[in-house]
Amino acid sequence: MEKLKLLLLAFFFVLSFNTWAQKTEVSGIILDDKGLPLPAANVLEKGTTNSVTTDFDGKFKFSASNKNATLIISYIGFEDQSLKLDGTKSNFSIKLKSNTTNLEQVVVVGYGKGSRKNLTTSVTSIKAEELNRGAISDVGQLLQGKVSGLNISSSGDPTKTASVVLRGVSTLNSSQGPFYVVDGVPGVDISIIAPDDIATIDVLKDAAATAIYGNRAANGVIMVTTKRGGKDRTQIAYNGYFGLEEVSNQLDMMNADQLRAFTVKNNLNFTPENDKGANTNWQKEILRPGRAQSSSHNLSMSGGGDHGNYTASITSLEKEGVLQKSDFSRVIARLSVEQFAFDDKVKFGLNVTNSSSKYQNVPQRNTVLLQSVSYLPISPVKNADGSYFENFISTGYFNPVALIDHGTDETKTNNLVGNLTAEVKLPFGFTYNLNIAHQKLTASHGEFYDSYYSKYNSANFYNNPDPPLTKTLINFGVNGSALRNNYENTNNIVESFLTWDKALGSHKIKAVLGYSWQENTLGDGFQATSTNFPTDNVGYNNLALSNYTSVNGYVVNFGDSKAYQKTRLIGEFARLNYNYEDKYLLQGTIRRDGGSVFGKNNQWGYFPSVGAAWRVDKENFMKNQKFFSDLKFRGSYGVTGNSSGFNAYTAQFISGSLGTFYYNGAQIGAYGPNQAANPDLKWEKTATANIGVDFAILKGKVTGSVDLYDKKTTDMIFNYAVNPVLVPVGTIVANGGTMSNKGIEVSLGATPVKTANFSWSTNLNLASNKNKIVKLTNPFFIGGDSIRRVQPDGGGQTGSTLQIFKEGKPLGEFFTLKYAGKNANGVSQYYDKNNNLTTTPLIGTDYHYAGSAQPKLLLGWGNNFQYKKFDLSVFFRGVFGNKIFNATRADLFRPSTAMTSNILVDAQDESPNDLNAYKYSTRFIEDGSYLRLDNMTLGYNFGKMGRFIQNVRIYETINNVFVITKYSGVDPEVEQGGTAPGVDSNNFYPKTRTYLFGVNVIF
């Protein structure tokens, strides 16, 4: 060790001596394009790590290694500038050229890049520094509120990803999220990317932008580009934070004193089994003691030269949930190398990313959440002897803390993505690209419920699934039960395309012709369950120790018989861009796709698009005006498809178990058809017409874009109920429906103030979308023009549904009883189907349309302030005009059952004699609008600190500072994705407020 220290000392001494011997002192000032000084601009000596940042006045002093060195000056939002020293001058004034005008950005599109100023399509680009900040591991949350038309909803659960919907829901099947492309690899699981590794995100909105991805692009495409090493710039960087999270809001349930007063007032009596004189806040008891902690550490190295570059990073992320036994951890390692060869005419690229994650889930999470609000506060968590308090006599009454303590629910995943690229520059303006990619996802899941769970009566232990699923009974066997599965998904992709980029005088042509091949193997693995373990210490790790054969009637669950699938997608695509004098722009694309998931008669589809744009600012008549610095009108039309949400067997005839039947004194297994074949099943197709304008005014101080779109999905796929005479199984997956989305999007950016000491920039995006189910029929469908659905099945609500698929109505239309106040006897009454008053409404018959869960307006508003070395960002996010069905409130609004189940404080004036008070009805439909101060970050930039630290920035972030809303539930950000949006049904994982401290260091 001592020898190593001496060697290092000698090395640094020689290095320092060499530097002193040849250094050249220079100084100067860095200015922006308006002549104002730029603090914290970077001055780097080319080919070295020697650099310095400017002070608050934009000034710098620098020691170059020699008098002929080249300096690289850079600043975010400005073009890099090189300065060649010649030994004759030592003081410089350098003015950088701005590249922040939105229309001048380079954006990533399918199979290539393009200049934003020449786009004919609708694309929104977000840089890394513009993404949301906080304890965030999910890309959806990074984009929340940042892109007009992108509706993202999330809860406080660290193990659950956000729901992402672009320009309204386009389908009735479960797959509604955008298609992700990461560094040119299509269909990548976005969780594999560390937020700190992201350089830019480009959101392709209209069909003309997405049609190049054909059958996977109906819900939009999100292009993620990760960071790359810079030429002549070696850098080591560390980004890290530590955060604390707390619950931001909970339901206002009655405490023991309030509930006692209510029961005394209404002559109700607790049972002795429940009333133990306690005063328990069950919502608090299921929380983690203290605040939940989160942390992230990202270490990256990057560099490059004239013939290549590299980037390597490793990220460790840990995030505790606010509920007990809820946490998440992930480690991501990434390597990216690009190397030029053969006189730089060939570029090879290698990208490898591996993500290893562990999800610790709350056992029986939704049941725990339900019990935490319904369990009586007069009951204690534990008995005097230390055992958990339980009342096994009461139906559906389970101690939520005991459920957590005696259960385990874990998932481990490993996700590997590797791709090899080659780009060859050919004569006559041609370029050939090849991309070979391999993706492999391994997921291991285990659940164990120890012998304590066997005490619960399996005849009344229901789960509490997310809507639209309905409750089902769970049997925990005897002496503990376990489930374990392990599945592997692999995707192999080969894509190649030829690009021709040629300028012919005033004419510019860029054409792409390519081929895509992808084969997916899904669900390659196994599952098994077992029961009757000798001890509770086993967990799910060793099913062999169980003895399920001695348990009468127990059947091992081997999982989904259709879990293993093999699918193939093949595509051929072409795109042509024509540019005349940068004024008149045309684009046309077409893709022919084939997919094995569809019927044998319709496995191929065509997806064309066309777009045009006119750059008005380039016309001669605009030369003398000073108002517009950029002005472009554009229009497009295209058709895309949807192949996700379907599996290899969707169109196939399937036979399977149909239970048993009695024959000759024994129960015999019955087998027969349980899925009908549909050889004519074909793609859903989504056609989008889009017109827009992009502009920059007041010398680029204000930029913006406005888009109008009309999006229509036809041949919508759904599992229809059909006449069993025609189709024996009674259902068939078929085409038939049509859905429409029409909307407007507005994005504005401005820099109202910019002085030598202070600057303020602001960005506002607004979006409004109108969704409608236009058609819901096919030749087989026997349900008319509507399907009643979403049945939470709360107490006393059997058969009651909340929403309806209905022609002429949006997805998420509420359809329920219409509340009409109370009659003279204080009993809740409703309007029947003829609008007459009744206290005995008929479920389904006396239902009325009651508004939609679809928001009318989405808002995102960000503000960035900079004063000297301080920076402050404030970001607001809002959703307006949507309705929420507060089924949670309805289920906790039962005064007649207050002696057996807790109720809300605001139910204290209700009468137990009103047995209608809690019925699902318009009484429990609320305005879901809200405005949230989503993020506030204050930072300080120290600049260069010592010889080896080039820059240090510290910051503090608060997420979810406050929310303004009339909604009475836990939080108005109720699920907006899926086919049951806007339903709050006793399953809301508490939203959190995060306090976070972070540091960014560049070496």
Side-chain angles (χ1 to χ4, degrees), residues 596-655:
S596 62
V597 298
F598 292 95
K600 61 181 181 181
N601 298 335
N602 287 297
Q603 291 189 328
W604 291 88
Y606 290 86
F607 305 96
S609 75
V610 63
W614 176 29
R615 295 202 64 202
V616 184
D617 59 287
K618 293 294 184 180
E619 296 288 356
N620 291 332
F621 61 79
M622 294 287 287
K623 288 184 176 180
N624 295 325
Q625 60 84 35
K626 302 296 183 182
F627 187 71
F628 287 100
S629 52
D630 284 290
L631 179 62
K632 179 176 67 174
F633 293 102
R634 49 185 167 77
S636 66
Y637 177 84
V639 179
T640 54
N642 182 19
S643 63
S644 58
F646 319 112
N647 61 52
Y649 310 109
T650 299
Q652 307 300 317
F653 174 81
I654 302 291
S655 291

Side-chain angles (χ1 to χ4, degrees), residues 4-166:
L4 178 61
K5 290 181 179 178
L6 289 172
L7 286 172
L8 289 173
L9 181 62
F11 171 76
F12 285 115
F13 176 79
V14 172
L15 181 64
S16 300
F17 181 81
N18 185 58
T19 301
W20 295 336
Q22 302 180 38
K23 65 181 181 180
T24 297
E25 299 291 339
V26 295
S27 61
I29 184 171
I30 309 299
L31 306 171
D32 65 12
D33 49 1
K34 297 178 178 62
L36 297 176
L38 287 173
N42 190 62
V43 181
L44 169 73
E45 182 177 349
K46 183 177 179 179
T48 74
T49 59
N50 186 24
S51 67
V52 69
T53 56
T54 58
D55 61 18
F56 176 73
D57 296 318
K59 297 179 179 179
F60 70 93
K61 291 183 178 180
F62 190 77
S63 296
S65 62
N66 64 81
K67 64 180 181 179
N68 296 315
T70 299
L71 306 184
I72 307 294
I73 297 91
S74 60
Y75 190 82
I76 294 175
F78 292 82
E79 295 180 3
D80 289 2
Q81 185 169 324
S82 297
L83 175 65
K84 175 72 173 177
L85 304 180
D86 59 10
T88 63
K89 187 177 180 181
S90 61
N91 189 270
F92 301 89
S93 178
I94 303 164
K95 182 177 286 189
L96 298 184
K97 183 179 179 181
S98 174
N99 64 1
T100 56
T101 300
N102 195 41
L103 295 176
E104 295 296 328
Q105 295 176 356
V106 173
V107 298
V108 178
V109 295
Y111 307 103
K113 297 180 180 179
S115 171
R116 172 170 292 280
K117 65 183 180 181
N118 290 332
L119 284 179
T120 63
T121 58
S122 180
V123 179
T124 297
S125 301
I126 304 295
K127 295 181 180 180
E129 60 269 19
E130 299 171 332
L131 296 170
N132 287 322
R133 301 165 188 173
I136 297 173
S137 60
D138 178 60
V139 170
Q141 295 179 51
L142 291 175
L143 289 171
Q144 204 164 21
K146 297 295 184 180
V147 179
S148 61
L150 201 59
N151 187 4
I152 300 175
S153 52
S154 63
S155 70
D157 190 347
T159 67
K160 187 177 181 181
T161 58
S163 295
V164 182
V165 178
L166 179 62

Side-chain angles (χ1 to χ4, degrees), residues 144-149 746-748 762-767 857-863 874-880 931-932:
Q144 204 164 21
K146 297 295 184 180
V147 179
S148 61
V746 179
S747 297
L748 297 171
T762 183
N763 292 277
L764 175 70
N765 71 78
L766 302 166
L857 178 67
L858 303 175
L859 174 147
W861 181 32
N863 294 273
V874 181
F875 183 70
F876 291 89
R877 180 167 54 85
V879 176
F880 305 95
L931 178 66
R932 191 189 305 274

Side-chain angles (χ1 to χ4, degrees), residues 172 720 737 773-777 781 784-787 805-807:
L172 293 181
Y720 290 95
I773 299 174
V774 178
K775 179 184 174 185
L776 190 65
T777 58
F781 183 41
D785 64 351
S786 62
I787 302 173
F805 289 160
K806 170 71 174 180
E807 290 185 0

Side-chain angles (χ1 to χ4, degrees), residues 801-822:
T801 54
L802 309 184
Q803 290 183 342
I804 188 171
F805 289 160
K806 170 71 174 180
E807 290 185 0
K809 298 292 183 179
L811 185 146
E813 176 72 18
F814 295 115
F815 188 60
T816 186
L817 299 174
K818 187 176 181 181
Y819 183 65
K822 297 180 183 294

